[in-house]
Amino acid sequence: MTPPGLNRRTFLTTAALGAAAVGATQVTDSVVAGAAAGAPAILKPLPAERFIDYGTNAETRWDSVDPRRYLTPQADLFVRNHTATPRIDPETYELEIVGDGLRDPAGVKLTLDDLKAFRHVETTSVHECTGNGRSFFTTQQGQEVSGTKWTLGAVGAVRWKGVRLQDVLTAVGVRPDAVSVQATGLDASYVDKGVDYGRVRRPFPIEKAFDDALLVWGANGEDLLPDHGFPLRLLLPGWIGIASIKWLGSLEVSTSVLTSPWDTKWYNVDGPLTVNPVRSALELAWNAEIPAGDRIVLSGRSWSGAAPIARVEISVDGGETWAPAVPHAPGRPTGGHGIGWAQWDYTWRDPEPGTYEILVRATDRAGRTQPDVAAHNPGGYFFDAVVRHPVTVV
Ligand SMILES: Nc1nc2c(c(=O)[nH]1)N[C@H]1C(S)=C(S)[C@@H](COP(=O)(O)O)O[C@H]1N2
Ligand SMILES: [Mo]
């Protein structure tokens, strides 16, 4: 049988080449430039009015988000790099699929053209770092945490384009007793405090691979930018950011449960973290000054990794009283298996000049509501509590 999406000759050639070459070839062949000393870790411009720049990471400023625009342009999307954005030549790029969970464990190497021969799919998902909101553990809950002090801007909504991982794995041939897939990036090895942890990689259960996992080359109708994984990244919709490995170099399919420091040492709280929690943000600067008026429209977004948003409530008096926010597009189709975010606004009538704390609390259709206090963990993951956003009406 010709595997769907792969023309028979390409597939056989690839498989044969793969068998001969897997052991001998370095996965770095297509990396034309790694992190040259002194080179910036992030290649796209990070204008100060749109980003908070942390060096290897950068978050989107919520007050720069256009309330009329649903998707986050790649130019405005947060970046989280463990090392630095590599430059990869799409002409020589190959994705290596190997492991004892394949029918032929020698595996295959697939070019971008091989991958683009599968049926194309698109999905919208909210893409978010596990540590989004981390700084509020300290500023709002008085707790110590390690890691980038994100406010709420390590998140965006993206319409991805690619192919289903299940289609590719089915064509390659997976054993029925395969349980685990490990995705590894082509960026440089991650070295922290003198310890070399190897390439950024994270395993996931085979069930996710055969559910909604995608291999994507497109975002919002364009090729991925280098910073976001060009030429190909994995996408595990709804799961924490680290699950979606950028610059995807290899997938190892295994009959035993694989691990990596990225699911044991980090991104783990009593087990590997997977599905993102519920969070909300106002499209406002921190300590925003709002001109007084009889109708002030506050806008923002809420999202969840598990399900669409069911309800959003707002308090403009520090949590004493709550009122429903008005969704922009109730029932908006979210496309494929993806879940986008909910945009909403709230009309604040005639506030007196003074300082206020605005609180937003969302509930998703899985029944999860943002709590008053987020569960503390040393890594500062999953800050999902209601954020107390200060503003001054002038
Ligand atoms: N290869 C590789 N993939 C990676 C990372 C990385 O450093 N290297 N960072 C991960 C983390 S922690 C996050 S939050 C997302 C960020 O994706 P973005 O930079 O495209 O927004 O990519 C994930 N995939
Ligand atoms: Mo992340």
Side-chain angles (χ1 to χ4, degrees), residues 51-274:
F51 285 97
I52 305 173
D53 187 348
Y54 303 98
T56 63
N57 307 319
E59 73 172 292
T60 313
R61 288 189 192 274
W62 269 103
D63 55 319
S64 75
V65 173
D66 180 347
R68 290 158 306 183
R69 207 197 277 248
Y70 186 77
L71 298 175
T72 309
Q74 281 196 89
D76 295 350
L77 186 63
F78 82 98
V79 182
R80 163 65 172 120
N81 280 347
H82 282 78
T83 59
T85 295
R87 285 282 194 184
I88 295 172
D89 177 0
E91 297 299 322
T92 55
Y93 170 82
E94 285 175 322
L95 170 65
E96 193 173 51
I97 306 181
V98 291
D100 72 356
L102 297 182
R103 275 203 225 108
D104 177 356
V108 293
K109 291 185 166 193
L110 303 177
T111 65
L112 276 180
D113 283 345
D114 292 338
L115 290 164
K116 287 180 178 177
F118 287 86
R119 190 163 64 89
H120 294 187
V121 294
E122 289 193 41
T123 195
T124 301
S125 80
V126 172
H127 174 58
E128 182 173 39
C129 186
T130 331
N132 197 23
R134 176 182 286 126
S135 64
F136 298 109
F137 275 113
T138 307
T139 58
Q140 189 164 297
Q141 298 187 180
Q143 293 160 332
E144 262 181 55
V145 286
S146 60
T148 301
K149 304 276 184 251
W150 304 113
T151 63
L152 279 172
V155 64
V158 178
R159 182 121 185 113
W160 308 97
K161 182 172 187 171
V163 294
R164 284 178 200 276
L165 179 54
Q166 60 173 289
D167 291 350
V168 176
L169 290 182
T170 301
V172 170
V174 172
R175 288 168 53 111
D177 56 345
V179 295
S180 195
V181 183
Q182 173 117 263
T184 303
L186 289 168
D187 41 339
S189 290
Y190 178 60
V191 179
D192 187 38
K193 301 183 188 81
V195 180
D196 185 339
Y197 292 96
R199 288 179 188 279
V200 177
R201 62 199 185 281
R202 197 172 201 254
F204 56 101
I206 194 85
E207 288 76 20
K208 185 71 173 170
F210 279 88
D211 179 13
D212 57 359
L214 302 182
L215 302 174
V216 299
W217 60 81
N220 305 336
E222 307 161 341
D223 279 348
L224 292 172
L225 288 181
D227 294 315
H228 297 297
F230 180 86
L232 192 82
R233 83 184 293 167
L234 175 67
L235 177 73
L236 300 191
W239 283 31
I240 60 175
I242 186 64
S244 294
I245 292 293
K246 302 193 274 191
W247 316 295
L248 186 63
S250 67
L251 291 169
E252 179 188 354
V253 182
S254 175
T255 56
S256 53
V257 175
L258 299 170
T259 63
S260 91
W262 284 268
D263 84 322
T264 55
K265 181 177 173 61
W266 306 296
Y267 308 102
N268 184 310
V269 178
D270 306 325
L273 299 175
T274 56

